[in-house]
Amino acid sequence: MLEKITSTFSGIIKTLAGKSTITEKNIEETVEQIKMALLEADVNLRVVRRFVNSTIEEAKGEKVLKAVDPGQQFVKIINDKIIAMLGDKKTDLALKGPDTQSVILLLGLQGAGKTTAAHKLAYRLKKEGRKPLLVACDLVRPAAVEQLCVLGEKIDVPVYKEDGGKNAVKIAANSIDFAKKNGLDTIIVDTAGRLQIDEDMMKELVDVKKKVNPVETILVADSMTGQNAVDIAKSFDEQLGLSGVILTKFDSDARGGAALSLKSITNKPILFIGTGEKTEDFEPFHPDRIASRILGMGDIVTLVEKAQETVDQEQAAKLQKKMARNEFTLQDMLEQFESVEKMGSVSKLLDMMPGLAGQISEDQIDKAGIKHQKAIIQSMTKKERANHLIIGPARRKRIAKGSGTSVQEVNKLIKQFEKTKLTMKKLTRNRGAQAKMMNALASQMGSSGGLGGMDLSKLGNMKFPGGFHF
Protein backbone atom coordinates (compact mmCIF):
# COMPACT_ATOMS: atom_id res chain seq x y z
CA MET A 1 0.00 0.00 0.00
CA LEU A 2 1.55 3.31 -1.17
CA GLU A 3 4.99 1.64 -1.11
CA LYS A 4 6.63 3.91 -3.67
CA ILE A 5 5.66 7.26 -2.18
CA THR A 6 6.15 5.98 1.39
CA SER A 7 9.69 4.85 0.60
CA THR A 8 10.57 8.31 -0.72
CA PHE A 9 8.88 10.26 2.06
CA SER A 10 10.22 8.11 4.91
CA GLY A 11 13.76 8.75 3.68
CA ILE A 12 13.14 12.50 3.59
CA ILE A 13 11.55 12.51 7.06
CA LYS A 14 14.31 10.39 8.57
CA THR A 15 16.91 12.89 7.34
CA LEU A 16 14.93 15.91 8.52
CA ALA A 17 13.96 14.67 11.97
CA GLY A 18 17.55 14.44 13.15
CA LYS A 19 18.62 17.95 12.11
CA SER A 20 19.41 20.36 14.92
CA THR A 21 19.34 23.33 12.54
CA ILE A 22 17.25 24.06 9.45
CA THR A 23 18.18 26.64 6.82
CA GLU A 24 16.17 28.12 3.97
CA LYS A 25 18.33 26.08 1.60
CA ASN A 26 17.41 22.86 3.50
CA ILE A 27 13.75 23.77 3.19
CA GLU A 28 13.93 24.48 -0.55
CA GLU A 29 15.87 21.27 -1.27
CA THR A 30 13.48 19.17 0.80
CA VAL A 31 10.37 20.68 -0.72
CA GLU A 32 11.82 20.07 -4.21
CA GLN A 33 12.30 16.38 -3.30
CA ILE A 34 8.70 16.22 -2.04
CA LYS A 35 7.46 17.96 -5.19
CA MET A 36 9.11 15.32 -7.40
CA ALA A 37 7.75 12.53 -5.20
CA LEU A 38 4.21 13.89 -5.50
CA LEU A 39 4.46 14.31 -9.28
CA GLU A 40 5.79 10.75 -9.63
CA ALA A 41 2.84 9.62 -7.51
CA ASP A 42 0.52 11.11 -10.18
CA VAL A 43 -0.80 13.84 -7.90
CA ASN A 44 -2.63 16.65 -9.68
CA LEU A 45 -0.24 19.46 -10.69
CA ARG A 46 -2.43 22.18 -9.16
CA VAL A 47 -2.46 20.28 -5.86
CA VAL A 48 1.34 19.89 -5.94
CA ARG A 49 1.89 23.61 -6.59
CA ARG A 50 -0.45 24.55 -3.75
CA PHE A 51 1.38 22.15 -1.41
CA VAL A 52 4.82 23.43 -2.38
CA ASN A 53 3.94 27.12 -2.03
CA SER A 54 2.19 26.82 1.32
CA THR A 55 4.87 24.53 2.78
CA ILE A 56 7.74 26.84 1.81
CA GLU A 57 5.87 29.89 3.10
CA GLU A 58 5.13 28.30 6.49
CA ALA A 59 8.50 26.54 6.87
CA LYS A 60 10.54 29.68 6.23
CA GLY A 61 8.87 31.50 9.08
CA GLU A 62 10.30 31.90 12.56
CA LYS A 63 8.25 28.91 13.73
CA VAL A 64 10.77 26.53 12.09
CA LEU A 65 14.02 28.43 11.63
CA LYS A 66 14.16 29.57 15.24
CA ALA A 67 12.48 26.54 16.84
CA VAL A 68 14.17 24.56 19.62
CA ASP A 69 13.72 21.41 17.50
CA PRO A 70 13.47 22.74 13.90
CA GLY A 71 13.70 19.30 12.26
CA GLN A 72 10.66 18.02 14.14
CA GLN A 73 8.78 21.27 13.52
CA PHE A 74 9.40 21.02 9.78
CA VAL A 75 8.25 17.39 9.81
CA LYS A 76 5.05 18.48 11.59
CA ILE A 77 4.35 21.08 8.88
CA ILE A 78 4.78 18.45 6.15
CA ASN A 79 2.56 16.04 8.06
CA ASP A 80 -0.18 18.67 8.50
CA LYS A 81 -0.05 19.58 4.80
CA ILE A 82 -0.39 15.93 3.74
CA ILE A 83 -3.36 15.50 6.09
CA ALA A 84 -4.99 18.60 4.58
CA MET A 85 -4.48 17.19 1.08
CA LEU A 86 -6.18 13.96 2.14
CA GLY A 87 -9.17 15.72 3.69
CA ASP A 88 -8.28 16.90 7.22
CA LYS A 89 -10.55 14.52 9.15
CA LYS A 90 -12.54 11.30 8.84
CA THR A 91 -16.05 11.76 7.38
CA ASP A 92 -18.86 9.51 8.61
CA LEU A 93 -21.89 8.38 6.63
CA ALA A 94 -24.94 10.60 7.19
CA LEU A 95 -27.36 7.79 8.02
CA LYS A 96 -30.79 8.29 9.57
CA GLY A 97 -32.03 6.59 12.72
CA PRO A 98 -32.95 2.88 12.66
CA ASP A 99 -36.71 3.63 12.60
CA THR A 100 -36.54 4.87 8.99
CA GLN A 101 -34.77 4.02 5.73
CA SER A 102 -31.44 5.47 4.63
CA VAL A 103 -30.55 5.01 0.96
CA ILE A 104 -26.93 4.81 -0.19
CA LEU A 105 -26.51 5.12 -3.96
CA LEU A 106 -23.29 3.66 -5.36
CA LEU A 107 -22.05 4.93 -8.73
CA GLY A 108 -19.01 4.25 -10.86
CA LEU A 109 -17.59 2.95 -14.11
CA GLN A 110 -17.52 -0.72 -14.96
CA GLY A 111 -14.60 -2.50 -13.36
CA ALA A 112 -14.18 -0.04 -10.47
CA GLY A 113 -15.51 -2.59 -7.99
CA LYS A 114 -19.02 -1.27 -7.16
CA THR A 115 -20.61 -4.64 -6.46
CA THR A 116 -17.75 -5.80 -4.25
CA ALA A 117 -17.74 -2.44 -2.43
CA ALA A 118 -21.52 -2.71 -1.92
CA HIS A 119 -21.25 -6.05 -0.13
CA LYS A 120 -18.23 -4.94 1.93
CA LEU A 121 -20.11 -1.81 3.03
CA ALA A 122 -23.18 -3.90 3.89
CA TYR A 123 -21.03 -6.25 5.96
CA ARG A 124 -19.48 -3.34 7.86
CA LEU A 125 -22.83 -1.65 8.54
CA LYS A 126 -24.30 -4.94 9.71
CA LYS A 127 -21.45 -5.31 12.22
CA GLU A 128 -22.27 -1.80 13.46
CA GLY A 129 -25.87 -2.83 14.18
CA ARG A 130 -27.60 -1.64 11.00
CA LYS A 131 -29.98 -3.84 8.99
CA PRO A 132 -28.83 -3.46 5.38
CA LEU A 133 -30.47 -4.42 2.11
CA LEU A 134 -28.51 -4.79 -1.12
CA VAL A 135 -30.36 -3.75 -4.28
CA ALA A 136 -29.45 -5.18 -7.69
CA CYS A 137 -29.88 -2.31 -10.15
CA ASP A 138 -26.98 -3.19 -12.46
CA LEU A 139 -28.98 -4.60 -15.36
CA VAL A 140 -26.24 -4.05 -17.91
CA ARG A 141 -23.19 -6.07 -16.87
CA PRO A 142 -23.67 -9.81 -17.46
CA ALA A 143 -24.20 -11.76 -14.21
CA ALA A 144 -24.02 -8.59 -12.08
CA VAL A 145 -27.29 -9.46 -10.32
CA GLU A 146 -26.13 -13.03 -9.69
CA GLN A 147 -22.81 -11.80 -8.31
CA LEU A 148 -24.55 -9.50 -5.83
CA CYS A 149 -26.85 -12.34 -4.73
CA VAL A 150 -23.87 -14.63 -4.07
CA LEU A 151 -22.06 -11.91 -2.11
CA GLY A 152 -25.20 -11.06 -0.15
CA GLU A 153 -25.71 -14.70 0.81
CA LYS A 154 -22.06 -14.90 1.92
CA ILE A 155 -22.59 -12.18 4.55
CA ASP A 156 -26.23 -13.09 5.30
CA VAL A 157 -27.62 -9.81 3.95
CA PRO A 158 -30.82 -9.87 1.82
CA VAL A 159 -30.65 -8.82 -1.82
CA TYR A 160 -33.60 -7.20 -3.57
CA LYS A 161 -33.89 -8.15 -7.24
CA GLU A 162 -36.65 -8.50 -9.79
CA ASP A 163 -36.38 -11.48 -12.12
CA GLY A 164 -36.71 -10.26 -15.68
CA GLY A 165 -36.68 -6.65 -14.50
CA LYS A 166 -35.44 -4.15 -17.07
CA ASN A 167 -36.13 -0.84 -15.33
CA ALA A 168 -33.52 0.12 -12.74
CA VAL A 169 -35.54 3.12 -11.56
CA LYS A 170 -38.58 0.97 -10.79
CA ILE A 171 -36.47 -1.69 -9.03
CA ALA A 172 -34.79 0.95 -6.85
CA ALA A 173 -38.17 2.45 -5.90
CA ASN A 174 -39.69 -0.94 -5.10
CA SER A 175 -36.71 -1.84 -2.92
CA ILE A 176 -37.64 0.93 -0.46
CA ASP A 177 -41.13 -0.56 0.01
CA PHE A 178 -39.53 -3.99 0.48
CA ALA A 179 -37.16 -2.58 3.11
CA LYS A 180 -40.02 -0.94 5.04
CA LYS A 181 -42.06 -4.17 5.11
CA ASN A 182 -39.07 -6.20 6.31
CA GLY A 183 -37.67 -3.77 8.90
CA LEU A 184 -34.46 -3.03 6.98
CA ASP A 185 -32.99 0.40 7.65
CA THR A 186 -30.10 0.83 5.18
CA ILE A 187 -30.61 0.38 1.44
CA ILE A 188 -27.45 0.05 -0.66
CA VAL A 189 -28.20 0.43 -4.38
CA ASP A 190 -25.69 -1.15 -6.77
CA THR A 191 -26.10 0.65 -10.12
CA ALA A 192 -24.95 -0.03 -13.65
CA GLY A 193 -21.67 1.29 -14.98
CA ARG A 194 -20.05 1.59 -18.40
CA LEU A 195 -16.47 1.40 -19.59
CA GLN A 196 -16.69 5.17 -19.91
CA ILE A 197 -19.19 7.88 -19.04
CA ASP A 198 -22.08 8.14 -21.49
CA GLU A 199 -25.42 9.95 -21.64
CA ASP A 200 -27.65 6.87 -21.22
CA MET A 201 -25.88 5.82 -18.04
CA MET A 202 -26.02 9.31 -16.57
CA LYS A 203 -29.71 9.74 -17.41
CA GLU A 204 -30.57 6.44 -15.70
CA LEU A 205 -28.53 7.37 -12.60
CA VAL A 206 -30.15 10.82 -12.38
CA ASP A 207 -33.61 9.20 -12.57
CA VAL A 208 -32.72 6.61 -9.91
CA LYS A 209 -31.42 9.32 -7.59
CA LYS A 210 -34.58 11.43 -7.97
CA LYS A 211 -36.73 8.41 -7.19
CA VAL A 212 -34.92 7.13 -4.07
CA ASN A 213 -33.62 10.43 -2.61
CA PRO A 214 -30.40 8.97 -1.14
CA VAL A 215 -28.67 10.30 1.98
CA GLU A 216 -25.35 9.36 0.38
CA THR A 217 -24.42 9.44 -3.31
CA ILE A 218 -21.03 7.74 -3.43
CA LEU A 219 -18.65 7.23 -6.33
CA VAL A 220 -16.71 3.96 -6.31
CA ALA A 221 -13.37 4.58 -8.06
CA ASP A 222 -10.28 2.51 -8.75
CA SER A 223 -7.41 4.15 -6.84
CA MET A 224 -4.85 2.69 -9.26
CA THR A 225 -6.14 4.94 -12.06
CA GLY A 226 -4.61 7.99 -10.34
CA GLN A 227 -5.67 11.35 -11.73
CA ASN A 228 -8.16 9.61 -14.01
CA ALA A 229 -10.17 8.75 -10.87
CA VAL A 230 -10.24 12.47 -10.01
CA ASP A 231 -11.52 13.39 -13.50
CA ILE A 232 -14.22 10.72 -13.24
CA ALA A 233 -15.25 12.06 -9.82
CA LYS A 234 -15.57 15.59 -11.25
CA SER A 235 -17.80 14.35 -14.10
CA PHE A 236 -20.11 12.38 -11.80
CA ASP A 237 -20.26 15.22 -9.28
CA GLU A 238 -21.27 17.77 -11.92
CA GLN A 239 -24.30 15.72 -12.96
CA LEU A 240 -25.26 13.85 -9.79
CA GLY A 241 -23.82 15.75 -6.84
CA LEU A 242 -21.56 13.32 -5.00
CA SER A 243 -21.36 13.18 -1.21
CA GLY A 244 -18.15 11.13 -1.11
CA VAL A 245 -15.88 8.54 -2.68
CA ILE A 246 -14.87 4.93 -2.01
CA LEU A 247 -11.41 4.08 -3.34
CA THR A 248 -11.03 0.42 -4.25
CA LYS A 249 -7.76 -1.54 -4.74
CA PHE A 250 -6.03 0.83 -2.32
CA ASP A 251 -3.81 -2.02 -1.13
CA SER A 252 -2.39 -2.36 -4.66
CA ASP A 253 -1.80 1.36 -5.15
CA ALA A 254 1.92 2.10 -4.73
CA ARG A 255 1.61 5.78 -5.68
CA GLY A 256 -1.43 7.36 -4.02
CA GLY A 257 -2.19 9.99 -6.67
CA ALA A 258 -5.97 9.59 -6.46
CA ALA A 259 -6.10 9.81 -2.67
CA LEU A 260 -3.81 12.83 -2.56
CA SER A 261 -5.70 14.73 -5.28
CA LEU A 262 -9.39 13.95 -4.76
CA LYS A 263 -10.32 16.18 -1.83
CA SER A 264 -8.40 19.22 -3.11
CA ILE A 265 -9.86 19.03 -6.62
CA THR A 266 -13.42 17.81 -5.99
CA ASN A 267 -13.92 18.90 -2.36
CA LYS A 268 -15.51 15.49 -1.77
CA PRO A 269 -14.25 13.31 1.09
CA ILE A 270 -12.89 9.80 0.72
CA LEU A 271 -15.18 7.73 2.94
CA PHE A 272 -13.74 4.21 2.68
CA ILE A 273 -10.84 2.34 1.10
CA GLY A 274 -10.72 -1.24 -0.15
CA THR A 275 -7.61 -2.88 1.28
CA GLY A 276 -7.81 -6.44 -0.03
CA GLU A 277 -9.97 -9.17 -1.52
CA LYS A 278 -11.62 -10.37 1.71
CA THR A 279 -15.00 -9.06 2.81
CA GLU A 280 -13.49 -7.44 5.91
CA ASP A 281 -10.75 -5.68 3.89
CA PHE A 282 -12.64 -2.40 3.92
CA GLU A 283 -11.62 0.51 6.16
CA PRO A 284 -12.94 3.97 6.98
CA PHE A 285 -10.59 6.59 5.53
CA HIS A 286 -8.64 8.43 8.24
CA PRO A 287 -6.57 11.24 6.61
CA ASP A 288 -4.24 11.54 9.61
CA ARG A 289 -3.53 7.79 9.69
CA ILE A 290 -2.88 7.57 5.95
CA ALA A 291 -0.59 10.61 6.17
CA SER A 292 1.31 8.84 8.95
CA ARG A 293 1.74 5.76 6.73
CA ILE A 294 2.90 7.88 3.78
CA LEU A 295 5.53 9.55 5.94
CA GLY A 296 6.79 6.14 7.11
CA MET A 297 5.51 6.62 10.66
CA GLY A 298 3.18 3.63 10.56
CA ASP A 299 -0.38 3.48 11.87
CA ILE A 300 -0.43 2.08 15.39
CA VAL A 301 -4.07 3.06 16.02
CA THR A 302 -5.42 1.01 13.09
CA LEU A 303 -3.16 -1.88 14.07
CA VAL A 304 -4.63 -1.84 17.57
CA GLU A 305 -8.18 -1.67 16.19
CA LYS A 306 -7.52 -4.68 13.98
CA ALA A 307 -6.15 -6.56 16.98
CA GLN A 308 -9.18 -5.70 19.09
CA GLU A 309 -11.55 -6.86 16.33
CA THR A 310 -9.91 -10.26 15.95
CA VAL A 311 -8.68 -11.10 19.44
CA ASP A 312 -10.82 -12.50 22.23
CA GLN A 313 -9.92 -10.05 25.00
CA GLU A 314 -10.76 -12.56 27.74
CA GLN A 315 -8.43 -15.12 26.19
CA ALA A 316 -5.78 -12.43 25.71
CA ALA A 317 -5.95 -11.51 29.41
CA LYS A 318 -5.55 -15.17 30.40
CA LEU A 319 -2.59 -15.52 28.08
CA GLN A 320 -0.98 -12.41 29.50
CA LYS A 321 -1.17 -13.92 32.99
CA LYS A 322 0.32 -17.17 31.69
CA MET A 323 3.25 -15.30 30.18
CA ALA A 324 3.84 -13.37 33.39
CA ARG A 325 3.96 -16.70 35.25
CA ASN A 326 6.27 -18.14 32.59
CA GLU A 327 3.61 -20.66 31.53
CA PHE A 328 3.55 -19.71 27.82
CA THR A 329 3.46 -22.93 25.73
CA LEU A 330 3.90 -24.00 22.13
CA GLN A 331 0.11 -24.42 21.93
CA ASP A 332 -0.22 -20.76 22.90
CA MET A 333 2.33 -19.86 20.23
CA LEU A 334 0.28 -21.75 17.61
CA GLU A 335 -2.83 -19.84 18.64
CA GLN A 336 -0.91 -16.56 18.26
CA PHE A 337 0.08 -17.45 14.70
CA GLU A 338 -3.60 -18.04 13.95
CA SER A 339 -4.63 -14.75 15.62
CA VAL A 340 -2.14 -12.77 13.55
CA GLU A 341 -3.36 -14.44 10.35
CA LYS A 342 -6.90 -13.26 11.12
CA MET A 343 -5.65 -9.67 11.22
CA GLY A 344 -4.56 -9.77 7.57
CA SER A 345 -1.38 -10.21 5.58
CA VAL A 346 1.93 -9.77 7.36
CA SER A 347 3.01 -7.04 4.93
CA LYS A 348 -0.09 -4.97 5.77
CA LEU A 349 0.63 -5.28 9.48
CA LEU A 350 4.25 -4.26 8.95
CA ASP A 351 3.07 -1.20 7.01
CA MET A 352 1.39 -0.03 10.22
CA MET A 353 4.54 -0.34 12.30
CA PRO A 354 6.63 2.82 12.80
CA GLY A 355 9.84 2.68 10.78
CA LEU A 356 8.68 -0.30 8.69
CA ALA A 357 5.94 1.30 6.56
CA GLY A 358 6.78 0.88 2.89
CA GLN A 359 10.12 -0.78 3.69
CA ILE A 360 9.13 -4.45 3.29
CA SER A 361 7.16 -5.76 0.32
CA GLU A 362 4.94 -8.84 0.18
CA ASP A 363 7.57 -10.59 -1.95
CA GLN A 364 10.22 -10.16 0.75
CA ILE A 365 8.15 -11.93 3.40
CA ASP A 366 8.73 -15.64 3.89
CA LYS A 367 5.09 -16.74 3.78
CA ALA A 368 6.08 -20.41 3.85
CA GLY A 369 7.99 -19.81 7.10
CA ILE A 370 4.85 -19.33 9.21
CA LYS A 371 3.13 -22.28 7.51
CA HIS A 372 6.12 -24.50 8.32
CA GLN A 373 6.16 -23.33 11.93
CA LYS A 374 2.46 -24.07 12.30
CA ALA A 375 2.93 -27.49 10.70
CA ILE A 376 5.77 -28.29 13.13
CA ILE A 377 3.67 -27.45 16.21
CA GLN A 378 0.63 -29.26 14.79
CA SER A 379 2.79 -32.39 14.41
CA MET A 380 3.52 -32.41 18.14
CA THR A 381 1.52 -34.27 20.78
CA LYS A 382 -0.47 -32.34 23.40
CA LYS A 383 2.18 -33.16 26.01
CA GLU A 384 4.95 -31.85 23.76
CA ARG A 385 3.09 -28.60 23.09
CA ALA A 386 2.55 -28.18 26.84
CA ASN A 387 6.19 -28.90 27.76
CA HIS A 388 8.82 -28.33 25.08
CA LEU A 389 11.56 -29.64 27.41
CA ILE A 390 10.52 -33.25 26.74
CA ILE A 391 11.18 -32.89 23.01
CA GLY A 392 14.44 -34.79 22.63
CA PRO A 393 16.31 -35.89 19.45
CA ALA A 394 13.99 -38.82 18.67
CA ARG A 395 10.85 -36.72 19.09
CA ARG A 396 12.32 -33.93 16.97
CA LYS A 397 13.04 -36.37 14.18
CA ARG A 398 9.44 -37.67 14.32
CA ILE A 399 8.01 -34.12 14.35
CA ALA A 400 10.16 -33.12 11.36
CA LYS A 401 8.93 -36.13 9.39
CA GLY A 402 5.30 -35.50 10.33
CA SER A 403 5.44 -31.82 9.36
CA GLY A 404 7.40 -32.30 6.14
CA THR A 405 10.27 -30.18 7.47
CA SER A 406 13.80 -30.86 8.73
CA VAL A 407 15.19 -31.44 12.21
CA GLN A 408 17.09 -28.16 11.82
CA GLU A 409 13.79 -26.31 11.30
CA VAL A 410 12.30 -27.97 14.38
CA ASN A 411 15.35 -26.95 16.42
CA LYS A 412 15.08 -23.40 15.10
CA LEU A 413 11.39 -23.16 16.06
CA ILE A 414 12.04 -24.38 19.61
CA LYS A 415 14.88 -21.87 20.04
CA GLN A 416 12.62 -19.12 18.71
CA PHE A 417 9.89 -20.20 21.13
CA GLU A 418 12.27 -20.07 24.10
CA LYS A 419 13.41 -16.58 23.13
CA THR A 420 9.81 -15.42 22.63
CA LYS A 421 8.82 -16.86 26.00
CA LEU A 422 11.62 -14.99 27.75
CA THR A 423 10.85 -11.71 25.95
CA MET A 424 7.13 -11.90 26.70
CA LYS A 425 7.81 -12.60 30.36
CA LYS A 426 9.96 -9.47 30.58
CA LEU A 427 7.44 -7.30 28.72
CA THR A 428 4.44 -8.34 30.82
CA ARG A 429 6.34 -7.58 34.02
CA ASN A 430 8.08 -4.40 32.97
CA ARG A 431 6.07 -1.51 31.52
CA GLY A 432 9.31 0.45 31.20
CA ALA A 433 10.71 -2.23 28.89
CA GLN A 434 7.60 -1.91 26.69
CA ALA A 435 8.06 1.85 26.40
CA LYS A 436 11.75 1.36 25.68
CA MET A 437 10.94 -1.11 22.89
CA MET A 438 8.44 1.24 21.24
CA ASN A 439 10.66 4.29 21.49
CA ALA A 440 13.53 2.27 20.03
CA LEU A 441 11.35 2.04 16.92
CA ALA A 442 10.93 5.81 17.02
CA SER A 443 14.68 6.36 17.18
CA GLN A 444 15.03 4.51 13.88
CA MET A 445 13.17 7.44 12.35
CA GLY A 446 15.70 9.82 13.83
CA SER A 447 13.22 11.37 16.25
CA SER A 448 13.68 11.78 19.98
CA GLY A 449 11.06 10.45 22.37
CA GLY A 450 8.48 9.49 19.77
CA LEU A 451 7.13 9.93 16.25
CA GLY A 452 5.90 13.32 15.16
CA GLY A 453 6.00 14.51 18.77
CA MET A 454 4.02 11.50 20.02
CA ASP A 455 5.54 9.69 23.01
CA LEU A 456 4.90 6.03 22.26
CA SER A 457 5.22 5.10 25.93
CA LYS A 458 1.86 6.84 26.46
CA LEU A 459 -0.13 4.61 24.13
CA GLY A 460 -1.95 3.09 27.12
CA ASN A 461 -3.37 -0.38 27.59
CA MET A 462 -3.80 -1.26 23.92
CA LYS A 463 -3.79 -5.04 23.69
CA PHE A 464 -2.33 -7.00 20.81
CA PRO A 465 -2.55 -10.71 19.94
CA GLY A 466 -0.66 -12.68 22.50
CA GLY A 467 -2.09 -10.73 25.41
CA PHE A 468 0.82 -8.30 25.56
CA HIS A 469 0.05 -4.62 25.35
CA PHE A 470 1.71 -1.22 25.14
Side-chain angles (χ1 to χ4, degrees), residues 237-394:
D237 185 45
E238 286 168 3
Q239 299 192 52
L240 287 145
L242 299 177
S243 59
V245 179
I246 292 174
L247 282 181
T248 61
K249 306 173 191 174
F250 199 73
D251 57 312
S252 301
D253 184 11
R255 300 184 301 171
L260 287 162
S261 303
L262 261 166
K263 184 65 169 68
S264 297
I265 298 300
T266 67
N267 201 32
K268 304 300 174 184
I270 300 170
L271 300 170
F272 297 95
I273 50 175
T275 58
E277 296 179 0
K278 296 179 181 177
T279 300
E280 57 270 22
D281 292 338
F282 191 72
E283 301 175 10
F285 186 79
H286 294 266
D288 55 339
R289 300 186 194 180
I290 298 300
S292 184
R293 291 192 202 184
I294 288 173
L295 297 179
M297 296 177 181
D299 183 359
I300 288 292
V301 179
T302 299
L303 182 59
V304 171
E305 288 176 351
K306 281 186 173 292
Q308 290 174 334
E309 285 177 8
T310 57
V311 176
D312 184 321
Q313 294 299 313
E314 189 176 333
Q315 287 296 108
K318 288 179 182 177
L319 186 55
Q320 188 175 357
K321 290 178 182 177
K322 289 182 72 175
M323 289 189 295
R325 295 194 299 261
N326 202 27
E327 295 173 0
F328 186 64
T329 67
L330 282 161
Q331 177 60 37
D332 295 322
M333 191 176 190
L334 176 63
E335 290 171 3
Q336 297 321 295
F337 285 145
E338 292 169 348
S339 290
V340 170
E341 284 182 336
K342 288 178 185 176
M343 290 173 64
S345 73
V346 177
S347 64
K348 287 181 187 175
L349 299 181
L350 290 175
D351 273 346
M352 297 179 200
M353 293 299 294
L356 296 178
Q359 303 301 307
I360 303 175
S361 68
E362 194 79 40
D363 296 334
Q364 292 173 293
I365 297 169
D366 179 14
K367 297 178 186 176
I370 293 178
K371 289 182 180 178
H372 287 170
Q373 289 174 324
K374 284 178 63 179
I376 289 168
I377 300 175
Q378 288 165 341
S379 296
M380 297 176 184
T381 64
K382 288 184 179 180
K383 286 184 178 180
E384 289 167 344
R385 295 183 198 182
N387 182 11
H388 71 287
L389 297 176
I390 68 171
I391 307 175

Side-chain angles (χ1 to χ4, degrees), residues 386-404:
N387 182 11
H388 71 287
L389 297 176
I390 68 171
I391 307 175
R395 289 176 184 259
R396 295 186 186 208
K397 189 174 181 181
R398 189 206 79 240
I399 292 166
K401 186 176 180 181
S403 60

Side-chain angles (χ1 to χ4, degrees), residues 5-224:
I5 191 169
T6 296
S7 178
T8 304
F9 266 96
S10 59
I12 294 170
I13 297 303
K14 189 173 182 179
T15 302
L16 274 179
K19 287 188 177 294
S20 57
T21 59
I22 294 286
T23 65
E24 291 193 5
K25 186 179 180 183
N26 291 148
I27 291 170
E28 289 170 359
E29 289 175 349
T30 301
V31 172
E32 183 63 26
Q33 284 181 279
I34 292 173
K35 173 185 170 184
M36 295 309 298
L38 292 174
L39 291 173
E40 287 174 6
D42 198 26
V43 178
N44 182 277
L45 182 58
R46 183 150 52 102
V47 176
V48 175
R49 283 175 178 163
R50 197 178 302 164
F51 175 90
V52 167
N53 293 336
S54 62
T55 301
I56 288 178
E57 183 181 348
E58 190 167 342
K60 283 187 176 181
E62 291 186 11
K63 194 174 181 181
V64 170
L65 297 178
K66 295 186 179 180
V68 175
D69 194 344
Q72 283 279 37
Q73 193 63 46
F74 192 14
V75 169
K76 185 180 184 304
I77 290 173
I78 294 170
N79 180 62
D80 291 346
K81 298 296 180 185
I82 296 290
I83 292 173
M85 285 171 70
L86 292 167
D88 285 321
K89 60 183 179 179
K90 172 178 172 285
T91 304
D92 296 318
L93 293 174
L95 301 179
K96 299 176 184 176
D99 55 339
T100 187
Q101 281 64 45
S102 298
V103 179
I104 299 173
L105 185 63
L106 296 186
L107 321 168
L109 296 185
Q110 202 172 87
K114 281 194 310 299
T115 303
T116 302
H119 110 276
K120 287 183 176 182
L121 178 58
Y123 175 75
R124 184 171 194 88
L125 293 175
K126 183 182 177 183
K127 281 179 65 180
E128 292 174 358
R130 307 286 302 189
K131 296 176 182 177
L133 170 69
L134 289 164
V135 183
C137 282
D138 184 353
L139 309 178
V140 176
R141 181 169 62 87
V145 175
E146 289 77 3
Q147 182 191 4
L148 190 64
C149 288
V150 170
L151 292 173
E153 185 177 357
K154 180 182 175 183
I155 59 174
D156 196 25
V157 168
V159 176
Y160 183 81
K161 63 171 185 173
E162 293 184 5
D163 294 330
K166 296 182 179 180
N167 189 325
V169 180
K170 184 179 178 183
I171 293 171
N174 291 343
S175 72
I176 297 177
D177 293 331
F178 178 86
K180 287 178 182 177
K181 290 176 184 176
N182 290 277
L184 304 170
D185 56 37
T186 312
I187 303 163
I188 302 171
V189 183
D190 180 28
T191 61
R194 304 287 194 279
L195 293 176
Q196 57 188 15
I197 295 172
D198 66 33
E199 288 185 19
D200 290 340
M201 176 187 71
M202 281 298 184
K203 184 179 184 307
E204 179 179 278
L205 294 175
V206 168
D207 291 343
V208 169
K209 182 174 181 180
K210 285 180 181 177
K211 198 70 175 177
V212 300
N213 190 28
V215 295
E216 294 283 357
T217 303
I218 302 172
L219 175 73
V220 179
D222 182 346
S223 65
M224 294 182 69

